[in-house]
Every structure is written in structure tokens, then in C-alpha cells.
Amino acid sequence: MKRTLILLIILSFGYITRASHIIGGEMLYKYISRNGDNLTYQVTLKLFRICGSGQNIAELPESVYFSVFDIQTNSRVTQPLVPRASKEQKELGQIDPCIVNPPNICFQIGIYVQNITVPVSDKGYVVAFQSCCRDFTMENIIDTRNPNDEQNSPGNGATYFTELPGKDGILNNSSPYFAKDEAVLVCANKKFTYDFSAIDPDGDQIVYSFCDAYGGGQTTGQSGIPPAAIAPPYGLIPYKSPYSGSSPLGAGATINPQTGVISGTAPNPGKYVVTVCASEYRNGRLLGIHRKDFHVNVTTCIKSVVAAMPEKYNDCSGYTITFINNSTEGKPYEWDFGDGQTLKTNSSDPIQHTYTQDGTYTVKLWVDRQSNCGDSAIATAYVYPMLRPVVRASGLCSNTTTAFDNTSNTSSTSDRINYFRWDFGVETTDTDTSLQEDPHYQYPGPGNYQVVLQVKTEQGCERFDTTDLIIYDKPPLATTPDTLLCILNFIQLHAESVVDGNVVNGTYTWSPSYNIDNANTANPTIFPKRDTAYTVTFTDQTGCSNSKRIAIDVREKLVVTTIADSTVCTGDEVHIRAFPDGNYPLTWFNTSTNAEVGTGPVLSIVPPAPSVGYTVRGDLGDCSGQDNVQLRIVDPPVAYAGEDTTICYGEQVTLRATGGSSYQWTPTTTLSTPRSANTIARPTDTTQYIVTVTDVLGCPKPVLDSVVINVVPPVPAFAGNDTIAILNQPFQLNASGGINYVWTPIIGLDNPNIYNPTTTINRDITYTVTVYTAEGCSGRDDIKVRFIAGPDIYVPTGFSPNGDGQNDIFRPLPVGIVQMDFFRVYDRWGKLMFSTTQYMKGWDGYFNGSPAAVGSYVWVVQGKNVDNETVLRKGTVTLVR
């Protein structure tokens, strides 16, 4: 479903804060009687209010003041308090069922009626009512309130008034009144109409217009009665651009001055203040202006099916017309092209239709025609081809009048052009238009202007032609650039004035007359024998002129130089530059073979060994100049950094480079002498060393080579953690970190050359293992073995966690225990202070980050021995510090 905006036109309908529940009003009068010099009129005030109640939505006033002022003296005559005569609530009637989410529209009308008797006066009387305040979120007016002091600066209010006639008017006249107080639902961005006509009891003529709304009014007190109006004149509310009192809904909506019908296209979502003035005339004489103030609320709604296409196709560019379908997608479409031809399709793509004869055709498009929510749209196709707008302009200098030649035409035999409108494209004025067929226009100055010609025909065709026009104060002039000339030759110069791709007609004059032929043409021939500057002056047909100077540098000979003789490296591409004394062509040759090898100021080439010469020659007509360069080609050094090798961590190696006279090794941090051919390297990990080699034989190019020194990381020799073994039982050692192992001493070992020998010694001992890698690198580690009777778990009776390194940790000593189930420590109240299942893990005497109290604690430990038997021990320990 396409999303459509809905314009809800209701008399003053909108959102409210404080007294902004009053959303519009109208005040009118009716002549009742005359008794001597006293006149009686019935004055009626209509106030419009949104429905609903709440903290910020006040009810319609029970009473209001009618303030009466003498227009001539501006003094208050009377101020009756008028009770509300009636109250009516209106809601939107039947709503289009095809609108998916119809809005809830409701408003109330309060009517206040009072007979007012006043003496006859010269100018008459103003009867006024004022109310504060308008909704500050209105889209088309400026919010003038002070949010920090709304009591004293409440913002825009409203004034509703009527003027009773005086002697200079018609005393027994009654004002017109607007006929309808009802809500109307109109889809925004679509054409809409709303009958806003008024009725005049005396049959006088009414002319309608949009007009400015009045502000004013004070905040209402606890009585609920708005304060009496002040004396006129009354101020107007300020509008936001681009809106105004005469265009409150934007340029898309207008009011018919004869019928009072508002029509056009609804604006964007929001709330808008709209005031309509009904001017009352009798026999051509203005009797008064009657006003009605109301709000327009534009909201968003969804319509299930919308038919939409351009309203007319009138460019008359051919018999084939492309119709655009902007309707709801995914529906069946039916076209009636107005010539008896129809088309049914499910595609919303543009449709081309070819007519067979001239005519004006009514085209209709149905969308989802068979459903209850189907919609249709109508367009007019004007078929009178071919209409061709054609524009030419002459006189493009700003000091003269530009003449426009209009050769627009139509090939239709049943139509002719009857309307021309020109817009000359001057953005700073609104007077740059013309309705003449072939107008003249004086531009205010040089610049780029976009000229638009609109043409219309009797049958309704309409097309536009847009021309980009360049107005100059001097005609553009392009010439031959400054140039070189051989003294033995001649050259043809050129000048031309072109505007927007068109050659400007005019005359050319060249000076001086020295050695020049055809001096009064655009293309003279010159043959000077010395440096000469020629000036060309171009004058267009309006007398506008421009001049340019062309400097001719005359040469008897050319001076061309190149680089000095050089030595270069074998296989390198060289870039040899020439230095001519002017801008002329350069050609390079092999000096020996005279073969051309390049052109331009730079020769890029790989010269052949062992030597070669090149000649560069400059040519300018019959003049020339040249220079030579000789190159010697030398092989670069042959760098050698040695073979890759491997060392153990902590060892050093000597790097040896050859192939040149100078050496530079990188990286330098682990090298003893990085600028020598031979240097000692002490890398801590695998490193690639690069040596840069140069020599003194003529090739300046450094050559690189590299060598990789692989460093075997430190051997991670591990003999095992210091441990406690069971006395009088064999104990197996277990080392790791390499591929070969040697244990010392060999006492008690069954095999000292394996990683896991078994010892049968029965006393405390420290074994050392040397571990070897595949590269021959080695590392050492030792293990201390204590022998205690077991299997059992030994636990000390006290510890002192004071940080002195002695007895700081309380831990069990497992002997022959292969699995630790748990080790726990409790205080004397049974609180768990420490727990672990890790082997040889102990308590540091802290609990929750704080030192535990000095005293006795209970411990319990359990594990499994080598025979898979459970061993459980309990006891107490004393903590001292």
C-alpha cells in the first residue's frame, strides 16, 4: 500500500497546550433595528475548540466579554459579559473505507450572542474578543513565546472582531457569514477542493482572499473567562518563510476569489494557521471585510489503492506518448487512451501509445478496478506534433542590446503557436521577462545566463527551450600562443572568437605591419627577421573588441645541451635529460649508427656494454642544434654474505662477506664491527643479516646479499621437581627437553643415559641431567630427592607466615601419594580458611586478603597412595607471627 498524507481541514483543529484549546473563531453582526439615533445589532461570536479534556485543555468559556470601541475616538463604549448560548460537537462523518488508518476528528463550536445598542457615529464601532494562546507548534507561524516566562510572554494569541457601520457606511447592513462549520478530509500532495463560501443576508457581492491572522490576548485567570480585549489596532502574527497570510498553505493551495473554494495541493505534515477574508461589495463599493480564522492539521495516513499519473502530456513532440504510472504497485491496471484503444496490464512500467491523428484525448487509468477500493486518475494528452521551440541570439556584448530570434514552429496543420514567454535568466530581478515573439534585452553585465523560452499553442501544447547564454564585456579571443620561429622560415598565425561553440562574426586587425601578409584576416602569415610581438584586435558586429599579444622569438641557431659523459651500471635503465634553449622538438640518435632511439627532453634507455654514445638534436624549421654524451658501462659488484648456518643459544659466529671494497651489515645491534667485511655476530634468536656491498670500479650501485643465522633456543632441560620418595623403594626419575640425556652421579641408577632411569639409593641425593637437542645444543637441570618412610602424609604442627622465607607456607608433605583429594584448614569455629586439591600447595596464613589471627587451626588432608589406597590425616596447627 502506498503511504499518503491526509490533510484534515477542520475549523481550528489541532493539538493544545494551556488556552490553545481555542483553535479558531469568527465574529459577525446582524442589523436589528433603529430607534432614533440608536442602532441595535445582534453580534455573534463562534469559537472552535478541540474535543477532549485534560490538564492543558480548557473547556469553552462559559462567558466572554464583547469589547466595543468607537473607531473614531478608539475609546471603550461598553463591555458586556456574554454567556454561551449553545455548544455543539461535530465529528467527521463517513470516511473513505479504503483509508486504512482514518484519523479521529472531533471539534466543538461555542456560540455567544448579544444584542448591542450604540448611538450613530461617524466611523462606526469595533466589537472584539481576544484569547491567548495559539499552539506554538504551528508550522507556518513563528513561535514568539518565552518558554521561561510564559505568564508574561505567552506567545501568539488570537483576536476575532467585527466592525459595525458608521455614517460613512450603510447603517442597516448585515455582515456576511461563512456557511459551513464542518470537517473535511483531503489527501495531501493530491488535488483537493473545499467549499469555504459565505452568505450575505443583503445579497451583496463577496470577494474571497487569504489574509493575515491577528494576534493578541492575555492568559486566562482562575475564573475561566478570558480578559476583555484591548482597543485596536491589533497586531498581526509573524509567519515563517515561505508561508505568509496570503499563502498560508504554500504555493500549492489557492482560494477562488469569486466562489471561495480553496483548492490545490496539501502541504507537508503539520498544523497551519489559515485566515480567509470575505470582502463585501455593494454596487462596487467596499462595505467591510469579514474574517474567519481556522487551523489546518496535516497528518499521515495509509490508503490501500492510489491511482496517480501526470495530469497532462502536452509537449507535442510526436504521435507516440509515454504515459507514466505512479500508482500503487502490484495491482491490475486498465488504460483507456481516449482514441478507442485500451490496455490491461499488471505492470506499472511506463506505457507507450501511438495516436494516428491530431487531437486532444482524455486518458483514464483504473487501478484495481474490480475491488471496492479501486481508484482512477485522468490525464489529458495533446497530440499536435511537432512543436519545436528554436532560439537564436545575437549581440552578446554587455554594452549593447541582445536580440533574440525566435524561429519556433509547429508542423501540425490544425494548430499554431499563440503564446511566448521569455525568462532571460537574471537572478537578481523579476523584470527579466517578455511576452514578445522576438524580444530585445539589455543585460546588466557580463556573465552566464540561462534563457528559457516557453511556447504554447491554441490546442494546448506547451514546450520549453533552455539556452545557456554567455554575455561578455569583451568578446572571447583565442590565438596562436607565443612561439619560436627559425629566421629562415615563416609561420601562419591564427585568431578566433567562439562563444558556446559558435564562431562570433567580426573583424581582425594585426599590428605591427612588419613582415606580415593578410594582416586584416584571422590567419595572417608572418616572416620576421628579429624578435617581434604582434597584436591582434577583434571587433564583433556590435563594436565590442578585445586584443591579444603574440610574442615571436626568432632564432638563427638552436642551443641544445645534455649531461656530461658518465659511467653507468650494466643492465640499468638510464634517463638522459636534454636542456634546449626553447620549446621545440628533440630527437635522440645512437651516435655510432645514427639510428633514432627516442624523442623528447628525456631519453630512457638501457645502454649496451661496454660503451655507447648518444646525440640529441633540436629542430625548428630549417634551424637546428645538437649535443653528445658518452656512456661507459661497468658491471656492479658481486655481493656474497656466506652460507646460512645454525648455532646454539649463547654462541657467536663470524660473518664473512666478499665482492667489493666497502661493506655495511644490518641489523647492527648484535654485530661487533658492522662496517667490516668480517664481523662477529651474537644473535639471541634466528636473524637474517643483510650486507650492502659497493666498489670503486665506476658502478655506483650498491648490491645486497643476505645470510640467515638460525639460533637454537635455550634447551628446556627439566629433571623434575624436587620430591620425597618412599624409603627402601625404587624411585623412577623423569627428565624432558631434548632427545639425549646423561645423568650424574650414576650412583644407584640402572641406566644414566636415558630420560627415565630408576634409582635404588636409600639416602637423600641430588641428580643432575644434561639434555641434548638434535643440533647438539645442551642444557642442564637437577633434582633433589629425599627419602622418608611411607607411604604417608606428613603435616607440620606450626608455621610463621611473616615473610622471612622460613616456614611461611603451611603445606602437607605427601610421601608415596599419587593423588591429592583435598587439603583443608578451618578455624576453631569451623569456618573454612583454605582449601586446595593441588599437590604441594599450601596456606599462606591469609583469609580474604587479610592476615589470619594468631592461634590454633584444624586441618584435614586426604589422598591416594601408590597402592590406590585412601590416606586420611587430621590434626591442628599453630599460626605464629
Side-chain angles (χ1 to χ4, degrees):
M1 292 183 292
K2 284 191 175 177
R3 186 169 287 271
T4 307
L5 298 177
I6 297 299
L7 172 66
L8 309 178
I9 298 184
I10 65 172
L11 302 182
S12 309
F13 184 79
Y15 295 97
I16 307 303
T17 60
R18 300 180 285 96
S20 56
H21 62 289
I22 301 299
I23 53 176
E26 173 190 11
M27 182 174 275
L28 55 106
Y29 72 90
K30 177 182 178 182
Y31 173 77
I32 301 299
S33 63
R34 176 171 183 169
N35 185 7
D37 287 337
N38 291 323
L39 300 169
T40 298
Y41 298 93
Q42 183 186 77
V43 178
T44 300
L45 170 66
K46 289 184 178 181
L47 293 180
F48 303 95
R49 172 193 181 273
I50 64 167
C51 298
S53 60
Q55 181 179 359
N56 294 323
I57 304 179
E59 297 291 336
L60 283 166
E62 293 293 336
S63 302
V64 298
Y65 288 104
F66 282 8
S67 298
V68 184
F69 302 94
D70 188 311
I71 293 178
Q72 186 168 2
T73 63
N74 210 34
S75 60
R76 190 183 302 272
V77 176
T78 183
Q79 185 176 289
L81 182 62
V82 182
R84 188 177 67 227
S86 64
K87 176 181 175 182
E88 180 182 1
Q89 181 164 306
K90 291 195 173 185
E91 298 182 3
L92 189 64
Q94 183 177 358
I95 302 176
D96 184 351
C98 297
I99 295 177
V100 176
N101 59 336
N104 181 23
I105 304 173
C106 175
F107 66 96
Q108 297 173 346
I109 306 174
I111 298 179
Y112 306 81
V113 182
Q114 178 72 29
N115 283 353
I116 294 179
T117 300
V118 291
V120 175
S121 70
D122 291 335
K123 299 297 183 181
Y125 300 88
V126 170
V127 184
F129 165 80
Q130 289 182 320
S131 175
C132 170
C133 306
R134 294 184 187 269
D135 189 339
F136 63 83
T137 64
M138 305 300 292
E139 291 291 330
N140 62 343
I141 63 174
I142 298 172
D143 178 19
T144 60
R145 69 193 172 93
N146 182 353
N148 299 319
D149 186 15
E150 294 192 30
Q151 184 64 32
N152 296 312
S153 300
N156 297 306
T159 299
Y160 311 117
F161 66 90
T162 188
E163 294 182 347
L164 306 180
K167 290 181 181 179
D168 57 354
I170 300 176
L171 297 175
N172 62 351
N173 183 58
S174 296
S175 70
Y177 59 91
F178 289 93
K180 297 181 179 180
D181 296 326
E182 60 186 31
V184 175
L185 187 64
V186 181
C187 290
N189 297 322
K190 297 290 183 180
K191 296 295 182 180
F192 77 96
T193 59
Y194 176 56
D195 185 358
F196 207 77
S197 60
I199 297 174
D200 189 273
D202 305 313
D204 295 327
Q205 179 190 5
I206 300 176
V207 177
Y208 302 90
S209 63
F210 289 131
C211 51
D212 289 286
Y214 285 99
Q218 306 173 50
T219 55
T220 300
Q222 295 295 323
S223 66
I225 301 175
I230 63 174
Y234 302 116
L236 303 175
I237 61 174
Y239 287 84
K240 294 179 183 176
S241 178
Y243 304 103
S244 64
S246 60
S247 183
L249 298 175
T254 60
I255 187 169
N256 188 306
Q258 282 75 41
T259 65
V261 173
I262 300 175
S263 63
T265 302
N268 291 328
K271 291 169 282 187
Y272 299 81
V273 176
V274 177
T275 301
V276 174
C277 285
S279 300
E280 180 186 8
Y281 290 88
R282 184 177 298 176
N283 299 323
R285 176 187 176 187
L286 177 64
L287 301 183
I289 300 176
H290 180 61
R291 317 167 70 90
K292 190 172 193 176
D293 186 317
F294 67 101
H295 291 183
V296 171
N297 188 20
V298 180
T299 186
T300 303
C301 72
I302 300 173
K303 197 172 181 181
S304 59
V305 178
V306 176
M309 64 175 170
E311 291 184 339
K312 59 183 178 180
Y313 298 83
N314 64 341
D315 66 354
C316 296
S317 58
Y319 284 103
T320 299
I321 296 180
T322 301
F323 292 98
I324 306 300
N325 186 352
N326 296 323
S327 307
T328 303
E329 298 284 350
K331 301 293 181 180
Y333 309 101
E334 297 183 32
W335 292 86
D336 184 338
F337 299 108
D339 61 350
Q341 301 296 314
T342 60
L343 174 67
K344 293 182 179 181
T345 179
N346 290 323
S347 173
S348 61
D349 293 340
I351 298 294
Q352 284 192 337
H353 179 70
T354 301
Y355 292 90
T356 59
Q357 59 185 13
D358 291 8
T360 302
Y361 299 92
T362 299
V363 181
K364 190 166 186 178
L365 168 63
W366 287 274
V367 181
D368 206 8
R369 186 176 186 180
Q370 302 305 319
S371 75
N372 293 332
C373 291
D375 196 14
S376 64
I378 294 178
T380 303
Y382 299 86
V383 184
Y384 300 94
M386 285 279 288
L387 176 60
R388 302 181 184 87
V390 182
V391 175
R392 294 186 179 88
S394 60
L396 304 181
C397 190
S398 59
N399 66 357
T400 188
T401 299
T402 300
F404 292 92
D405 182 18
N406 179 3
T407 59
S408 303
N409 61 86
T410 176
S411 58
S412 174
T413 59
S414 56
D415 199 7
R416 73 180 188 88
I417 300 175
N418 64 348
Y419 177 84
F420 303 94
R421 186 185 185 280
W422 297 81
D423 185 331
F424 300 116
V426 182
E427 296 181 354
T428 57
T429 180
D430 294 329
T431 62
D432 63 329
T433 61
S434 174
L435 299 178
Q436 297 179 8
E437 184 174 351
D438 298 301
H440 291 71
Y441 184 74
Q442 175 78 50
Y443 278 92
N448 296 332
Y449 299 92
Q450 190 174 79
V451 180
V452 179
L453 169 62
Q454 178 187 14
V455 296
K456 297 181 181 180
T457 71
E458 292 177 344
Q459 299 291 356
C461 296
E462 180 181 7
R463 290 194 72 178
F464 293 84
D465 178 85
T466 301
T467 302
D468 292 322
L469 201 63
I470 300 176
I471 300 296
Y472 51 75
D473 53 354
K474 294 181 179 180
L477 183 59
T479 66
T480 302
D482 294 345
T483 189
L484 299 174
L485 179 64
C486 178
I487 195 171
L488 303 175
N489 303 116
F490 62 87
I491 188 174
Q492 187 177 49
L493 303 180
H494 174 72
E496 187 177 40
S497 180
V498 177
V499 175
D500 198 22
N502 298 313
V503 176
V504 180
N505 294 323
T507 61
Y508 296 87
T509 302
W510 297 81
S511 64
S513 58
Y514 167 69
N515 286 10
I516 185 171
D517 292 336
N518 302 316
N520 293 323
T521 68
N523 302 297
T525 300
I526 60 169
F527 41 93
K529 303 305 178 185
R530 62 178 182 271
D531 292 349
T532 305
Y534 291 91
T535 300
V536 58
T537 300
F538 171 73
T539 305
D540 70 9
Q541 293 179 338
T542 66
C544 223
S545 63
N546 195 6
S547 297
K548 277 199 172 181
R549 178 179 179 273
I550 305 172
I552 306 300
D553 185 358
V554 180
R555 299 293 180 89
E556 293 187 27
K557 62 179 181 178
L558 305 183
V559 178
V560 181
T561 60
T562 186
I563 64 173
D565 294 346
S566 302
T567 300
V568 298
C569 299
T570 303
D572 282 357
E573 182 180 66
V574 296
H575 306 280
I576 309 172
R577 179 172 293 277
F579 305 95
D581 65 344
N583 185 17
Y584 42 79
L586 298 173
T587 306
W588 296 83
F589 302 91
N590 184 303
T591 305
S592 300
T593 64
N594 204 34
E596 182 178 330
V597 293
T599 60
V602 177
L603 173 64
S604 297
I605 195 169
V606 178
S611 65
V612 67
Y614 296 106
T615 299
V616 59
R617 190 183 71 206
D619 293 288
L620 180 64
D622 293 332
C623 299
S624 64
Q626 67 181 39
D627 193 17
N628 301 317
V629 60
Q630 192 72 25
L631 300 180
R632 184 169 68 93
I633 294 83
V634 178
D635 291 337
V638 179
Y640 179 66
E643 296 296 325
D644 296 345
T645 189
T646 299
I647 63 174
C648 296
Y649 182 83
E651 295 181 349
Q652 67 183 33
V653 64
T654 300
L655 305 181
R656 293 180 173 85
T658 60
S661 59
S662 298
Y663 303 87
Q664 174 64 58
W665 291 90
T666 58
T668 62
T669 54
T670 57
L671 298 177
S672 60
T673 53
R675 299 182 66 86
S676 300
N678 301 331
T679 182
I680 296 175
R682 298 182 179 88
T684 57
D685 55 12
T686 298
T687 304
Q688 181 187 54
Y689 292 97
I690 299 174
V691 64
T692 302
V693 180
T694 56
D695 63 20
V696 294
L697 300 179
C699 176
K701 181 171 67 175
V703 180
L704 310 180
D705 194 24
S706 63
V707 61
V708 175
I709 305 301
N710 296 294
V711 178
V712 178
V715 179
F718 182 63
N721 294 317
D722 293 347
T723 187
I724 300 173
I726 301 174
L727 186 65
N728 298 318
Q729 289 191 16
F731 179 75
Q732 187 174 42
L733 302 171
N734 196 337
S736 63
I739 61 172
N740 294 315
Y741 302 85
V742 177
W743 292 87
T744 59
I746 64 174
I747 301 172
L749 297 178
D750 62 345
N751 187 346
N753 297 317
I754 61 175
Y755 75 94
N756 58 346
T758 298
T759 179
T760 57
I761 199 168
N762 285 313
R763 60 179 175 81
D764 294 352
I765 191 171
T766 298
Y767 285 107
T768 300
V769 64
T770 302
V771 180
Y772 295 90
T773 67
E775 296 85 3
C777 299
S778 63
R780 300 180 68 185
D781 192 29
D782 56 40
I783 180 173
K784 183 177 181 181
V785 182
R786 294 179 60 192
F787 289 89
I788 303 176
D792 204 347
I793 302 176
Y794 297 91
V795 181
T797 59
F799 75 115
S800 56
N802 54 15
D804 64 355
Q806 300 291 326
N807 297 320
D808 286 333
I809 303 297
F810 173 53
R811 64 169 64 89
L813 301 177
V815 178
I817 302 299
V818 296
Q819 175 181 317
M820 181 66 70
D821 294 335
F822 58 81
F823 172 55
R824 298 168 184 159
V825 181
Y826 300 88
D827 68 6
R828 58 184 175 175
W829 293 282
K831 180 191 295 184
L832 181 65
M833 307 295 289
F834 175 77
S835 178
T836 184
T837 60
Q838 297 183 33
Y839 194 81
M840 296 298 290
K841 181 75 173 178
W843 181 37
D844 63 358
Y846 280 74
F847 181 73
N848 288 337
S850 299
V854 172
S856 295
Y857 293 86
V858 177
W859 56 264
V860 58
V861 61
Q862 178 179 299
K864 287 184 172 59
N865 62 20
V866 293
D867 297 321
N868 200 31
E869 296 173 341
T870 297
V871 178
L872 176 65
R873 298 288 184 266
K874 299 178 181 180
T876 61
V877 64
T878 301
L879 187 155
V880 297
R881 295 189 186 277

